[in-house]
Structures are given as C-alpha cells and as structure tokens.
C-alpha cells in the first residue's frame, strides 16, 4: 500500500533570471545588475533583446535597488502589461519571484513577448515544446499515467489538466496541494488561456503559445524524474480504445443474466462484452428497466451472471473471496451512523477494512490520505447527522475508499445533489480513477459532469424486454452516434414512446451489434 504524500513546498531564492518567450522560443538572462529590455537594431542591442517591431528600442528596464529588482516601462509605444493591467510609463513596479510581464502587438494579439522574473527554478532543466495541434487534453502530475509526468513530491499525482473546450485551450487545478499559477495568480476556477500566459507549478514554468506549450522540464543528476516528456502516457479521454488490455483491465463477458419468476425464466441482460482499463471512469447510462443496477451487481459478483468477469488474470466469480476486498461499492442510500463523528467513522472503516497485518500508523496514514483526497479535512469533528447531503455522500465514498479498492462502483452518487456539489463529488471520483483505479458510475443527471468520464456505456431495453448494450465508447463520439447534443438526449432516444422517448432502442442495439462484428 502506498502512503506517499504530496509535500508542501516553499519558494527558494536563487540568482534572479528573466525568461524571455518570443516567437515560440525561450531565451534566458541572468540578472546580476540593472538591464534594459528592448528591440534589437543595427545600431545596437539592449541587454535583453528581441527582434520584434512591436517592442520599442528601449522598451523597459530592470533596475536593481537595495537588493530588490524593479521594472519600469520607458514610455514604450505598446506598453508593458503586469497582473492584467498596463503599467504607467516610468512608474517603477517592484518584482517578486514568478512575476510576469507581457508585450503585445497592437495589430495582432497573437504576436507577443512574455518576460518571467524568477528566483526559483529547478537546479537542472531543459526547455521543450509540446505540440497542441493533435491533442485534446493533457494531464499534468506525478502519476506515471499522466500525459505530462513531473516526478517531484511537491507535485500532486494529478496536479492540473490542460484541455480544449469550444476550440480554445483551458487550464484547471485538480485540487493540488501546492496550486497552479497563471501569470503568478493562483487558480481557483478553470480559465481559458491567452497567448503568452505563463503557468507555474511549484518552480516549473510553462508558457502557452497557441499551437504549443513550452515546458521547463527538470533534468540532470539532482532530479529523480525522467529527462523526457511524453503526451502519450495517458490516453486522451476522447480517443477510442484500441482494445488493448493491460494486466489489470476489467474484461466483462455476460452471456445473459436471468431470474426465475413464478416458474418462468426472465432474462434481464444479454450479450454484454467490453473491456475497461485502469484509470478509466465509466458512466453507465440507460432508461428505466434497462438493467443498470443488474449489470453492476453482475460485474461485482453479488448476483452472478452466465458469463465471465476477469480482473487481469483473476476470475471474479471463481475467486470472489479474494476479489471482494478489492472492490468498493457505494449504494444510493448510505449506511452511516448519524451519531458518530466523521473521524470515528473513518477510523472504524480502516480498522475493519484494512488487513490484520496493517499497523495503527499505517491505518492513520491511510485515513489521512483519504480525508485529503475527499476534501473532508474541516469536517472530521462533525457529527454525521449534521452533514449536508453532499458531505454525507463524500463520506460514504471515503469509507469504501479506505480499503484502497481497485474496482469502485457507485449507484447514483450525485442523486439529490445540486450542480456544485455534484461537480465536487465527480472531481473526487476523477482523482480516484487517476490513481489507476477503475470507477464505474450510474447517474441520472449526467449532463452536469460529462467531461469527467472517459467512456460511456448505454444499456437499452429491447422489444424482447431484455437489456442490451447499445453503445460503449468515448463520450464525445456518443453524441454523433445517437444524433443528439446531450447525454439525457441519448436516454430519450432509447426510451419507449410511452415513456416520453423516441422508441429507438432496437435500432441502436442492432447498430452497435453490427459495429462489433
């Protein structure tokens, strides 16, 4: 069991530097004295120079006064921007490590020069460019499955995510301990990036350049991570699975799931085949009576189906005794004792769910880790019956997650929650999946949080009164497949007309069956 924590870091004070980003490239200048920034000309070069017409010959100056650096715009034509405001000409602005200065072309905002003043940076690093033209999302963190892996204990396992939305690139902090900074302002909500924006995670700097992300990648003997960058480590959530199975994939093959009712056989599910890989969060969607809960119970082995459920090389049905402790399940109704405190509830869960060989220190460490992941730090002394609906649901998830399950099943965890609480909850589940777990969720309000899911499976009740697989794949592709703009629209497509639907279940069942042949 891994109890590795993200450590809190403080800024260091090294020799001041200025990183100058221009035309998709970075130049560095050591500041050990005052220096002039401006345009390179035939008659002479400034101390810090760029060959850009929108930069004045003497645009600004870095001035060392009593051990502190100040920047002063020298009445330049296009001005200097600092903290989203244009500096007054000749008014000195004191600089602190991480401050960002920018100059834009008045004719073309895509042309820019960014200057980053810093006194904290990795001991050894290389600047590299990650192209953004063929990507839709890049996860950044310590998790080896992240798209951009940065192996430092000051960086959370899933620290931040860079993603494309409506044709623009945006950045979000994934509840990291040390934060994400854009132009030295800590993110509190996702934001769209502008050309020249400077991103900082701990002491590592990135610059957004429209078609690429310039990255200051730590390297060398004092760095324990890789001296390389890959954006292939974690598959884009919008890409179709190649069907390749890792050693810890969940392979589901359900021939049928039937029950006997009044002496007659009633088939509830038929012909469900799919593979879910570690780190994937899957949404189970379907109309009433389509078999969503039946499917989940069959996969968990609570109600065995005619078929085979394999987790890696382990047969869930044949080795249920060993697998049941590796699975977590959160039902719609929680079983929490209202008179207990949150801290007592979690300690009891750790005592009951963790192995006999686990020491008290390990149990405490695991509880602390789960409390941090689920955002329960300020609630530990609260009575359970005083918690809100969203807080109780997060505690229910925490109780199950204490045992560190590899398969995590949740039946309508967002039921009864408002949009904000539902988003917080799904963010917590996303971080669990990003730890390499398989997370399967039933939801009846999926349009509030569609971007958190890697894949969607759609169950439809056919004319034979049995649940069938009508779709399994990326969320983005599902919209086109069902010709709708929402996930709730998918349910409308497959629901019967007397249920307010379009009555197209059989059509999509046959369509998906034909695609798999």
């Amino acid at each position: 069991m891994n109890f590795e924590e993200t450590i809190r870091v403080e800024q260091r004070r090294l020799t001041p530097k200025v990183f100058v980003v221009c035309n998709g490239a970075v130049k560095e200048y050591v500041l050990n004295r005052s220096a002039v920034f401006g345009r390179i000309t035939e008659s002479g070069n400034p101390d810090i120079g760029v060959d850009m017409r929108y930069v004045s010959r003497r645009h600004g100056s870095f001035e060392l006064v009593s051990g502190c650096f100040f920047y002063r715009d020298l009445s330049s034509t296009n001005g200097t921007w600092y903290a989203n405001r244009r500096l007054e000409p000749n008014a000195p602005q004191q600089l602190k490590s991480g401050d960002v200065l920018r100059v834009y072309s008045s004719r073309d905002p895509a042309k820019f020069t960014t200057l980053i003043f810093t006194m904290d940076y990795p001991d050894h690093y290389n600047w590299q460019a990650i192209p953004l033209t063929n990507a839709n999302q890049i996860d950044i963190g310590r998790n080896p499955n992240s798209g951009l892996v940065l192996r430092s204990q000051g960086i959370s396992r899933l620290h931040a995510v860079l993603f494309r939305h409506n044709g623009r690139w945006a950045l979000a902090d994934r509840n990291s301990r040390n934060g994400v900074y854009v132009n030295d302002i800590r993110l509190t909500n996702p934001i769209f990036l502008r050309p020249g924006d400077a991103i900082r995670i701990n002491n590592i700097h990135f610059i957004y350049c429209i078609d690429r992300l310039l990255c200051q990648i730590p390297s060398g003997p004092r760095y324990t991570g890789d001296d390389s960058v890959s954006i292939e480590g974690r598959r884009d959530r919008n890409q179709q699975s190649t069907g390749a199975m890792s050693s810890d994939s969940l392979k589901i093959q359900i021939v049928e799931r039937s029950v006997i009712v009044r002496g007659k056989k009633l088939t509830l599910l038929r012909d469900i085949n799919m593979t879910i890989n570690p780190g994937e969060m899957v949404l189970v969607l379907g109309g009433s009576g389509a078999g969503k809960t039946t499917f989940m119970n069959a996969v968990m082995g609570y109600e065995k189906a005619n078929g085979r459920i394999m987790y890696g090389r382990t047969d869930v049905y044949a080795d249920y005794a060993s697998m049941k402790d590796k699975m977590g399940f959160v039902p719609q109704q929680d079983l929490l004792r209202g008179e207990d405190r949150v801290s007592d509830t979690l300690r009891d869960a750790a005592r009951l769910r963790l192995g006999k060989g686990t020491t008290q220190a390990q149990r405490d460490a695991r509880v602390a880790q789960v409390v941090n992941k689920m955002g329960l730090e300020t609630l530990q002394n609260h009575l359970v019956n005083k918690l809100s609906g969203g807080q109780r649901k997060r505690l229910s998830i925490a109780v199950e997650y204490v045992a560190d399950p590899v398969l995590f099943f949740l039946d309508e965890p967002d039921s009864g929650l408002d949009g904000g609480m539902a988003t917080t909850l799904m963010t917590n589940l996303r971080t669990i999946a990003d730890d390499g777990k398989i997370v399967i969720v039933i939801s009846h309000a999926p349009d509030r949080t569609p971007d958190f899911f890697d894949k969607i499976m759609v169950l439809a009740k056919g004319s034979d009164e049995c649940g069938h697989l009508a779709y399994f794949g990326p969320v983005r592709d599902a919209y086109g497949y069902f010709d709708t703009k929402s996930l709730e629209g998918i349910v409308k497509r497959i629901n019967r007309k007397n249920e307010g639907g379009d009555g197209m279940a059989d059509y999509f069942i046959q369509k998906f069956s034909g695609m798999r042949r």
Side-chain angles (χ1 to χ4, degrees):
M1 210 168 285
N2 182 11
F3 299 110
E4 183 182 16
E5 296 285 347
T6 303
I7 64 171
R8 188 170 297 281
V9 297
E10 301 294 337
Q11 284 194 333
R12 300 180 298 174
R13 188 179 179 89
L14 306 178
T15 302
K17 285 186 177 183
V18 176
F19 302 143
V20 180
V21 185
C22 183
N23 253 0
V26 184
K27 290 185 178 180
E28 296 187 9
Y29 297 85
V30 174
L31 279 183
N32 48 24
R33 58 179 176 81
S34 297
V36 173
F37 160 65
R39 186 173 78 246
I40 298 172
T41 64
E42 294 181 357
S43 58
N45 296 335
D47 301 304
I48 300 173
V50 295
D51 188 12
M52 290 291 145
R53 295 292 300 175
Y54 58 84
V55 175
S56 299
R57 294 185 181 185
R58 288 176 55 85
H59 199 101
S61 63
F62 291 88
E63 300 170 358
L64 180 60
V65 179
S66 300
C68 297
F69 271 96
F70 294 77
Y71 177 86
R72 186 160 55 93
D73 184 272
L74 300 176
S75 300
S76 64
T77 301
N78 288 315
T80 306
W81 292 81
Y82 170 87
N84 296 325
R85 63 181 175 86
R86 183 167 176 167
L87 293 176
E88 293 292 329
N90 292 305
Q93 172 65 51
Q94 185 170 354
L95 299 176
K96 64 181 185 302
S97 183
D99 274 349
V100 177
L101 304 161
R102 288 181 295 178
V103 180
Y104 290 101
S105 168
S106 58
R107 296 181 179 180
D108 184 0
K111 294 181 179 179
F112 61 87
T113 295
T114 296
L115 301 96
I116 304 171
F117 174 81
T118 180
M119 291 184 290
D120 189 10
Y121 38 84
D123 295 316
H124 303 272
Y125 57 86
N126 297 311
W127 284 97
Q128 298 186 30
I130 293 180
L132 300 177
T133 51
N134 295 320
N136 286 308
Q137 177 170 315
I138 300 174
D139 292 333
I140 303 172
R142 201 172 70 238
N143 190 329
N145 290 325
S146 296
L148 177 53
V149 182
L150 299 172
R151 291 184 176 90
S152 166
Q153 283 191 304
I155 294 174
S156 301
R157 290 185 62 81
L158 180 58
H159 200 107
V161 58
L162 186 70
F163 61 97
R164 196 192 299 269
H165 181 71
N166 290 336
R168 299 174 61 190
W169 280 97
L171 181 70
D173 187 344
R174 280 293 182 80
N175 296 320
S176 65
R177 180 168 188 177
N178 289 305
V180 178
Y181 294 79
V182 176
N183 303 323
D184 211 39
I185 299 173
R186 184 165 184 168
L187 286 189
T188 55
N189 294 295
I191 64 165
F192 284 110
L193 295 175
R194 298 173 299 171
D197 275 349
I199 303 162
R200 178 169 60 84
I201 296 177
N202 289 359
N203 64 348
I204 301 173
H205 298 83
F206 311 80
I207 301 95
Y208 171 65
C209 298
I210 305 176
D211 63 342
R212 72 191 72 179
L213 184 70
L214 299 179
C215 305
Q216 183 189 43
I217 303 301
S219 64
R222 298 187 190 178
Y223 179 63
T224 60
D226 293 336
D227 187 16
S228 62
V229 180
S230 170
I231 59 172
E232 300 175 355
R234 187 180 190 282
R235 188 173 58 256
D236 184 336
R237 293 180 195 161
N238 291 318
Q239 291 177 1
Q240 177 69 47
S241 171
T242 61
M245 243 182 101
S246 83
S247 59
D248 293 326
S249 294
L250 179 65
K251 189 171 184 178
I252 301 167
Q253 296 175 309
I254 297 176
V255 178
E256 68 174 37
R257 165 74 177 118
S258 302
V259 294
I260 303 298
V261 179
R262 296 177 182 175
K264 290 186 177 182
K265 178 181 176 181
L266 178 63
T267 302
L268 306 176
L269 286 177
R270 179 179 290 133
D271 193 24
I272 310 293
N273 294 282
M274 65 181 66
T275 298
I276 304 173
N277 294 311
E280 289 185 335
M281 184 166 162
V282 177
L283 170 67
V284 181
L285 200 62
S288 177
K292 300 182 295 296
T293 301
T294 299
F295 164 80
M296 192 171 280
N297 287 339
V299 174
M300 288 188 290
Y302 289 178
E303 300 172 351
K304 294 181 181 179
N306 176 13
R308 199 178 190 195
I309 311 297
M310 297 291 296
Y311 175 69
R313 297 181 179 180
T314 303
D315 188 318
V316 174
Y317 290 173
D319 298 312
Y320 182 73
S322 65
M323 279 299 303
K324 65 179 181 179
D325 292 332
K326 298 179 181 178
M327 295 185 287
F329 174 58
V330 180
Q332 293 183 40
Q333 300 297 323
D334 70 60
L335 304 175
L336 303 173
R337 294 185 300 189
E339 66 276 9
D340 287 353
R341 296 186 184 277
V342 169
S343 57
D344 296 331
T345 300
L346 291 172
R347 278 197 292 267
D348 287 346
R351 179 174 54 82
L352 294 171
R353 302 292 302 275
L354 297 179
K356 293 183 179 179
T358 308
T359 66
Q360 185 60 48
Q362 288 175 325
R363 286 196 290 268
D364 291 344
R366 178 58 184 169
V367 167
Q369 188 182 46
V370 172
V371 164
N372 178 265
K373 183 174 287 290
M374 297 305 300
L376 298 171
E377 295 95 332
T378 61
L379 302 176
Q380 294 188 73
N381 292 322
H382 286 54
L383 292 175
V384 172
N385 57 19
K386 298 295 184 181
L387 300 180
S388 67
Q391 291 167 341
R392 283 184 72 110
K393 188 63 70 172
R394 279 156 50 204
L395 178 58
S396 294
I397 294 172
V399 166
E400 287 295 306
Y401 198 57
V402 161
D404 201 21
V406 294
L407 305 176
F408 211 40
F409 302 86
L410 303 103
D411 192 354
E412 297 188 45
D414 53 347
S415 178
L417 305 184
D418 62 30
M421 288 184 178
T423 300
T424 299
L425 187 71
M426 291 301 179
T427 300
N428 295 141
L429 295 178
R430 183 67 254 176
T431 63
I432 289 173
D434 288 324
D435 278 343
K437 314 298 185 183
I438 291 174
V439 180
I440 300 177
V441 181
I442 295 175
S443 173
H444 283 298
D447 283 313
R448 298 187 297 187
T449 55
D451 294 336
F452 288 92
F453 295 95
D454 297 284
K455 292 176 181 174
I456 176 177
M457 69 166 293
V458 179
L459 288 169
K461 189 175 184 179
S463 56
D464 60 355
E465 301 297 321
C466 177
H468 298 264
L469 195 58
Y471 177 83
F472 178 65
V475 176
R476 182 182 64 179
D477 294 350
Y479 298 120
Y481 178 88
F482 288 96
D483 190 22
T484 183
K485 295 182 179 179
S486 68
L487 296 179
E488 291 179 10
I490 293 174
V491 178
K492 184 176 183 295
R493 282 280 190 264
I494 59 177
N495 273 350
R496 296 177 177 181
K497 291 184 178 181
N498 62 2
E499 298 171 332
D502 297 332
M504 299 179 67
D506 287 330
Y507 169 79
F508 287 111
I509 291 169
Q510 292 299 319
K511 180 179 178 180
F512 189 71
S513 178
M515 289 174 59
R516 291 188 295 170
R517 290 194 180 102

